[in-house]
Amino acid sequence: MSQAIRTTCAYCGVGCGIAASPTGGRAVTIKGDEAHPANAGKLCSKGTHLGETVGLEGRLLHPMIGDKRASWDKALDMVAKRFRETIAKHGPDSVAFYVSGQLLTEDYYVANKLMKGFIGSANIDTNSRLCMSSAVAGHNRAFGEDVVPASYDDLDEADLIVLVGSNTAWCHPIVYQRIQAARAARGTKLVVIDPRRTETCEGADLHLALRPGSDVALMNGLLAWMDQGKLLDADFLRDSVNAPEGFWDAIRTGHDLWTTAKACDVSPALLQQFYELFAATPRTVTMFSQGINQSIRGTDQVNAIVNLHLATGRIGKPGAAPFSITGQPNAMGGREVGGLASTLAAHMDFAAENVARVGRFWAAPTMATKPGLKAVDLFRAINEGRIKALWVMATNPAVSLPDANRVREALEAVPFLVVSDVMATTDTAVHAHVRLPAAAWGEKDGTVTNSDRTISRQRALLPLPGEARPDWWIVTEVARRMGWRNAFAYDRPADIWREHARLTAYQNDGARVLNLRAQATMGNEAYEAMEPFRWGDAPFADGRFSTPDGKARLLPVSQMDLQGPLRDWPMTLNTGRYRDQWHTMTRTGLSPKLARHREEPLVEVHPQDATALGIADGDLARVSTPQGESLFRARISDGQRPGEVFTPIHWTDQQSSGGRTGLLPRPLVDPHSGQPGFKSTPVRVEKVATEWKGFLILRGSEPVRVPCLWATRITVSGGALYEVAGNGDPARLETCLPKGDRVEAIDMTRGTRRVAIIRDGKLAGVLIVTRSGILPTRDWLIGQLAVEGVGASVLAARGPGNQPDKGAIICVCFDIGLNNIVRAIREQSLVDVPAIGAALGAGTNCGSCRPALANILAQAQQETLHAAE
Ligand SMILES: Nc1nc2c(c(=O)[nH]1)N[C@H]1C(S)=C(S)[C@@H](COP(=O)(O)OP(=O)(O)OC[C@H]3O[C@@H](n4cnc5c(=O)[nH]c(N)nc54)[C@H](O)[C@@H]3O)O[C@H]1N2
Ligand SMILES: Nc1nc2c(c(=O)[nH]1)N[C@H]1C(S)=C(S)[C@@H](COP(=O)(O)OP(=O)(O)OC[C@H]3O[C@@H](n4cnc5c(=O)[nH]c(N)nc54)[C@H](O)[C@@H]3O)O[C@H]1N2
Ligand code: SF4
Ligand SMILES: [Mo]
């Protein structure tokens, strides 16, 4: 085997290092990079299974104009010409780029430079607007610069870690494992603040299931508690912090424990426990993500957390910091180059001296002088006819923006739409006039910055397939064709990297913490060999901040009144992620292993609500808002608060006839950051009755449209499984079956229909539908896709060994289902997670399922206890 290539994971902001070994063709073996500071060799379930996603299935391999293949020359000329003409006719602000935290820093830098320095507009915004723009706004308000004043090392050194609005066990699993390691090593306490009881809460010291949107009340209450107990850091407040007039008076009014407990809907005793723990533990890291950021009061929520850390001096010291953890692999790189419409470049804003400085550096002909349109406003502007040409890179707004049906109208309406993507038919790409084939993870070269400011290299492992090209190359080619050949004369990512590094250092007298001066002269070889490094070590350790007077600012923030239930939309929708899927599933959706953890999009409903709505576990349920409606499979869960439901963000038209969450939220945003309030939408939930249920298994990967009410596609080894449900005659589903020898068992009176198609002795397709809803196990039939010489007995749908169903797959590394685990716990009297590992292997590889195992164990023990009573 050739020597492993060291690169960085394609997924989350933890930024794990990977040692990848190409093994021929498109195959790669994936291991964690032991030398990477973010993960020291560990990988979660998604990282572990990256190798299953580097195939060419579904890839866009050639430039396309409409439905026709075009040469790169023709496609690039067309993009340049249409943008130039639109700008000439309607001005620079009539065009826009919508980009992504999944671009590399070098890609991002050239896109930002083209828009802000050469086109002369700041209409370049990014999906990071939906992700952590509230944290950016909060940092700027408090510190005078968007600096995350924490690192993963702080987690090792903290005595208390507070996770606010973060399902770390699923979304940042390796950070979560690091937290667990700190707990084991030094007894670090863990508090989770989240309206849902997630797997992150498993084994936590405290879980505060607060009323959604009441985080400001909770943090202000804590600040008032600390103030009253004289527990603030008076020296730090005097030397390093400015408090505006009236700040303390406001904190001292209406923030007593009882009032706060009521506002947050948690018991005063629990709240007091948390407050006492916080008071007693100076080494505190408060880590937060989307439960804080994705709110129409997101920026105030960020500052409520930052206020606490400033007032207690818990910042700039080991093990003490507010820590905004980022989602995407290069969300931070985007912030560093200034890829948001509200920032200019290299941590500079649109102040006149900054515009002049960057203009000089770029030798730019037409600098943007003011912020551009933020994501939600940008798509609104398209619908209003103000944006006439849009270029979308590495993001899928038809799924991920709020009120996504209006976004689809905008994508349909915009006179010229360019989409650069790695996949041919995303929900966004299907609207494009020009589609440009981008290089994917594993084919790209450049750098990314993770949540703790560590910059790592992404390196190519595989050759560029078809005519795919890196994003930086595509943007540069368009810029050259628009007339700016010299300003975009890059030959390789290293050229761009050096220029970016020089800009961070350019006329930077220390006012900006981001300064990559040492990198600016790096040679090509050194760039190739670059080791991961963190910029801005220990920011604010000297108690000086990036404000004009060097002091941080306390921000007066008060809890906004929370809306009560509406008559027609009486419940509240919370949205978020599953452990083994990534966003709109363009890549994780290709992995049979990752598909098993959650096969369908579920709406999680509290048992009390389910009873009131007449919904049983496994029923279909409709979730509607004034913006639209979508169908989900119902799951009854007491981890929800009554009155609140949760749906995942992942499913799109490509995988399911329902389950699209993005069309439901309102396009309401935080006034400071423009970040949408994805976590709280008034909704109505209803049961949807169906006459039959069933499934379809098809060999091969070609997707089909199943003509029924509910059909969700699940990638399986050798083909696809479709879970289906509907009304009327199910015979029409047979149109989805391939040609071949037909075996059938149809019982009209009992309403069962079993049809198998066998071709060349192999199973080509199966359809099984029943009225009773009782269905055979899928696993055995899926296994038959790999068997030679399948006969008519396949319709018995049970193997000779009469294998029992595994249940939902908990450990994807070893394919171990819930039923196996429960059985082993009972039969072998297993008492802890390591014992389950020893008995079954579950949880002993990537470790992502360990919180789930702990949960299953706790439940099984509870049941045994009840049985004994
Ligand atoms: N498996 C997986 N991992 C991912 C991703 C993925 O798609 N899949 N995406 C990555 C990206 S881009 C991001 S941004 C991160 C997101 O990572 P997280 O922020 O951890 O993920 P979410 O599931 O969006 O939401 C976090 C939690 O916020 C809670 N919440 C909702 N409302 C409130 C509230 O009012 N107050 C509080 N305190 N909490 C609330 C929700 O119940 C939810 O459990 O994950 C990254 N990692
Ligand atoms: N309701 C609700 N909506 C949400 C959220 C939520 O919690 N709730 N979370 C929001 C957040 S935090 C985020 S980050 C967004 C994510 O939402 P999106 O950014 O829309 O999601 P992805 O599926 O990651 O889209 C990335 C696209 O880029 C393509 N791609 C991958 N690599 C490359 C590359 O190297 N080059 C190019 N050109 N293309 C590439 C992929 O095929 C895919 O089509 O969703 C947001 N939407
Ligand atoms: S935690 Fe998992 S998804 Fe995130 S970077 Fe590490 S391996 Fe990749
Ligand atoms: Mo995100």
Side-chain angles (χ1 to χ4, degrees):
M1 198 158 69
S2 57
Q3 215 195 339
I5 299 169
R6 294 171 67 208
T7 185
T8 315
C9 179
Y11 299 119
C12 83
V14 179
C16 296
I18 281 180
S21 310
T23 51
R26 296 288 299 179
V28 280
T29 306
I30 301 286
K31 289 216 161 65
D33 177 358
E34 313 236 332
H36 198 288
N39 59 317
K42 297 191 185 70
L43 294 177
C44 78
S45 48
K46 292 181 296 300
T48 300
H49 295 100
L50 255 172
E52 287 184 34
T53 67
V54 297
L56 296 184
E57 190 184 319
R59 281 291 294 271
L60 177 64
L61 293 174
H62 305 282
M64 304 288 284
I65 298 179
D67 281 335
K68 296 219 167 55
R69 195 171 145 177
S71 68
W72 266 114
D73 258 341
K74 201 161 165 205
L76 292 166
D77 281 344
M78 180 166 190
V79 175
K81 179 163 168 277
R82 290 293 299 264
F83 268 82
R84 232 179 16 233
E85 283 172 0
T86 309
I87 294 160
K89 201 154 161 208
H90 304 285
D93 288 332
S94 68
V95 301
F97 296 167
Y98 183 55
V99 305
S100 164
Q102 292 168 76
L103 291 175
L104 305 182
T105 297
E106 292 74 4
D107 305 328
Y108 235 133
Y109 178 87
V110 286
N112 191 52
K113 178 178 177 183
L114 173 57
M115 186 50 88
K116 291 186 184 146
F118 291 77
I119 290 177
S121 166
N123 284 344
I124 170 170
D125 209 35
T126 141
N127 62 1
S128 292
R129 181 69 58 198
L130 320 177
C131 190
M132 42 55 189
S133 56
S134 296
V136 174
H139 291 158
N140 279 326
R141 291 205 300 186
F143 309 143
E145 183 174 355
D146 174 27
V147 175
V148 177
S151 81
Y152 299 148
D153 301 339
D154 289 315
L155 298 173
D156 307 336
E157 295 169 75
D159 294 318
L160 169 64
I161 296 172
V162 186
L163 300 176
V164 198
S166 167
N167 187 5
T168 325
W170 280 12
C171 298
H172 299 94
I174 297 303
V175 157
Y176 182 75
Q177 289 185 15
R178 191 156 179 163
I179 293 171
Q180 293 302 343
R183 299 182 73 201
R186 58 185 283 148
T188 305
K189 295 277 189 273
L190 178 65
V191 176
V192 180
I193 300 174
D194 191 312
R196 290 193 302 151
R197 196 183 64 242
T198 61
E199 277 183 13
T200 303
C201 306
E202 201 50 55
D205 295 284
L206 294 175
H207 170 216
L208 275 60
L210 82 177
R211 186 201 310 278
S214 65
D215 296 85
V216 170
L218 186 99
M219 298 299 161
N220 279 353
L222 177 48
L223 190 53
W225 171 279
M226 299 293 287
D227 173 52
Q228 206 190 8
K230 308 252 173 302
L231 298 163
L232 302 178
D233 187 335
D235 294 343
F236 193 74
L237 280 171
R238 186 194 56 234
D239 298 337
S240 298
V241 181
N242 280 320
E245 210 153 296
F247 179 87
W248 290 109
D249 290 342
I251 287 294
R252 285 167 195 149
T253 319
H255 292 113
D256 60 281
L257 189 72
W258 289 88
T259 312
T260 306
K262 194 153 178 279
C264 301
D265 192 24
V266 292
S267 80
L270 188 63
L271 200 60
Q272 185 171 344
Q273 257 183 296
F274 168 50
Y275 286 5
E276 281 172 354
L277 187 57
F278 187 93
T281 325
R283 284 177 174 241
T284 304
V285 172
T286 306
M287 207 165 84
F288 59 94
S289 50
Q290 301 314 344
I292 288 297
N293 295 337
Q294 284 176 343
S295 161
I296 55 168
R297 56 193 84 79
T299 307
D300 281 359
Q301 295 183 160
V302 169
N303 286 113
I305 292 172
V306 173
N307 282 347
L308 252 177
H309 278 263
L310 289 172
T312 53
R314 297 179 187 187
I315 188 166
K317 297 180 184 133
F323 194 167
S324 151
I325 186 158
T326 50
Q328 298 177 91
N330 198 32
M332 291 285 265
R335 283 150 80 162
E336 289 154 17
V337 304
L340 288 151
S342 41
T343 56
L344 176 58
H347 281 200
M348 285 174 274
D349 62 12
F350 287 89
E353 70 271 19
N354 290 335
V355 172
R357 180 182 299 125
V358 176
R360 267 195 308 280
F361 180 84
W362 280 340
T366 36
M367 282 295 292
T369 53
K370 58 176 196 319
L373 290 167
K374 301 188 180 99
V376 171
D377 293 336
L378 171 61
F379 282 82
R380 196 174 287 134
I382 299 174
N383 276 329
E384 290 165 2
R386 287 186 283 135
I387 297 289
K388 302 184 190 292
L390 173 70
W391 188 353
V392 176
M393 303 175 207
T395 176
N396 197 357
V399 185
S400 55
L401 275 171
D403 199 5
N405 282 346
R406 300 298 91 65
V407 170
R408 287 171 186 227
E409 287 165 17
L411 292 168
E412 207 40 55
V414 69
F416 188 57
L417 175 65
V418 185
V419 172
S420 302
D421 206 287
V422 304
M423 303 307 274
T425 49
T426 68
D427 285 19
T428 299
V430 295
H431 301 279
H433 299 100
V434 179
R435 280 176 290 163
L436 303 174
W441 182 84
E443 301 151 13
K444 299 182 64 145
D445 258 309
T447 56
V448 291
T449 311
N450 73 0
S451 285
D452 88 337
R453 306 186 312 281
T454 297
I455 296 181
S456 314
R457 286 276 280 114
Q458 262 196 21
R459 297 187 172 91
L461 325 166
L462 298 164
L464 289 169
E467 293 182 274
R469 293 287 178 272
D471 288 289
W472 69 266
W473 182 91
I474 303 174
V475 175
T476 299
E477 281 297 317
V478 169
R480 291 179 185 178
R481 281 158 215 256
M482 288 180 79
W484 300 301
R485 194 155 284 283
N486 293 337
F488 291 86
Y490 311 108
D491 291 329
R492 56 182 70 77
D495 297 339
I496 305 169
W497 168 259
R498 283 185 287 266
E499 185 178 310
H500 161 59
R502 268 198 294 126
L503 177 54
T504 65
Y506 185 61
Q507 297 177 350
N508 185 355
D509 54 5
R512 288 144 28 218
V513 175
L514 173 67
N515 188 337
L516 302 172
R517 190 184 304 276
Q519 310 289 320
T521 50
M522 169 179 267
N524 294 340
E525 272 173 35
Y527 180 79
E528 284 317 316
M530 187 195 286
E531 288 290 323
F533 72 97
R534 188 185 299 134
W535 64 261
D537 233 7
F540 314 142
D542 57 356
R544 308 301 294 164
F545 294 83
S546 306
T547 51
D549 67 357
K551 288 186 174 188
R553 308 179 191 109
L554 290 173
L555 268 290
V557 292
S558 52
Q559 176 63 47
M560 202 162 104
D561 284 342
L562 296 173
Q563 193 177 40
L566 302 174
R567 201 191 50 177
D568 291 336
W569 320 100
M571 302 187 78
T572 304
L573 172 69
N574 176 8
T575 62
R577 294 157 169 80
Y578 283 167
R579 189 189 79 193
D580 289 352
Q581 292 298 347
W582 175 261
H583 297 167
T584 71
M585 293 170 78
T586 57
R587 288 168 299 162
T588 45
L590 301 171
S591 159
K593 288 223 161 157
L594 295 179
R596 299 304 307 273
H597 176 245
R598 290 283 183 279
E599 295 189 323
E600 293 180 289
L602 307 173
V603 54
E604 285 169 61
V605 189
H606 188 273
Q608 230 167 291
D609 294 322
T611 308
L613 295 163
I615 294 177
D617 202 70
D619 280 350
L620 291 185
R622 182 183 299 112
V623 180
S624 5
T625 69
Q627 291 71 247
E629 56 180 56
S630 199
L631 274 189
F632 298 85
R633 178 88 65 195
R635 155 144 334 166
I636 315 298
S637 158
D638 63 4
Q640 289 294 125
R641 286 168 54 100
E644 290 162 25
V645 294
F646 179 87
T647 64
I649 62 172
H650 308 295
W651 274 265
T652 73
D653 282 356
Q654 312 300 312
Q655 305 98 5
S656 183
S657 59
R660 201 144 64 72
T661 285
L663 60 88
L664 298 169
R666 303 170 285 192
L668 297 182
V669 301
D670 175 88
H672 308 285
S673 66
Q675 180 152 358
F678 280 126
K679 295 287 187 258
S680 184
T681 306
V683 294
R684 186 167 61 230
V685 180
E686 296 150 298
K687 174 186 165 120
V688 176
T690 56
E691 292 167 5
W692 44 260
K693 276 187 189 171
F695 63 85
L696 184 68
I697 295 170
L698 297 176
R699 167 182 302 283
S701 58
E702 198 54 40
V704 297
R705 293 266 161 219
V706 186
C708 64
L709 183 67
W710 173 259
T712 297
R713 182 178 196 276
I714 300 139
T715 302
V716 299
S717 184
L721 163 71
Y722 293 80
E723 291 292 335
V724 299
N727 298 309
D729 187 356
R732 66 179 185 278
L733 267 59
E734 290 192 26
T735 53
C736 301
L737 290 172
K739 296 213 170 16
D741 298 334
R742 184 186 158 93
V743 190
E744 64 168 41
I746 297 175
D747 181 341
M748 298 295 264
T749 50
R750 290 169 60 199
T752 60
R753 172 177 292 270
R754 293 161 169 254
V755 181
I757 304 293
I758 297 169
R759 210 166 51 202
D760 306 328
K762 282 187 174 173
L763 185 64
V766 187
L767 171 68
I768 297 189
V769 172
T770 70
R771 258 184 220 290
S772 66
I774 300 168
L775 290 159
T777 72
R778 284 76 165 160
D779 288 341
W780 185 82
L781 274 167
I782 293 165
Q784 295 303 298
L785 288 172
V787 172
E788 302 274 350
V790 168
S793 64
V794 70
L795 272 187
R798 263 286 161 91
N802 227 4
Q803 291 270 336
D805 197 355
K806 288 180 188 158
I809 299 298
I810 305 295
C811 170
V812 292
C813 293
F814 297 115
D815 200 27
I816 299 171
L818 177 65
N819 297 348
N820 316 40
I821 297 165
V822 172
R823 208 174 310 120
I825 292 173
R826 284 223 188 89
E827 292 174 5
Q828 304 176 44
S829 307
L830 306 176
V831 292
D832 55 18
V833 174
I836 302 179
L840 298 172
T844 58
N845 185 42
C846 79
S848 290
C849 67
R850 268 182 239 143
L853 295 177
N855 191 357
I856 296 166
L857 194 67
Q859 277 186 9
Q861 284 164 345
Q862 197 110 51
E863 277 160 28
T864 321
L865 218 65
H866 280 311
E869 272 165 11

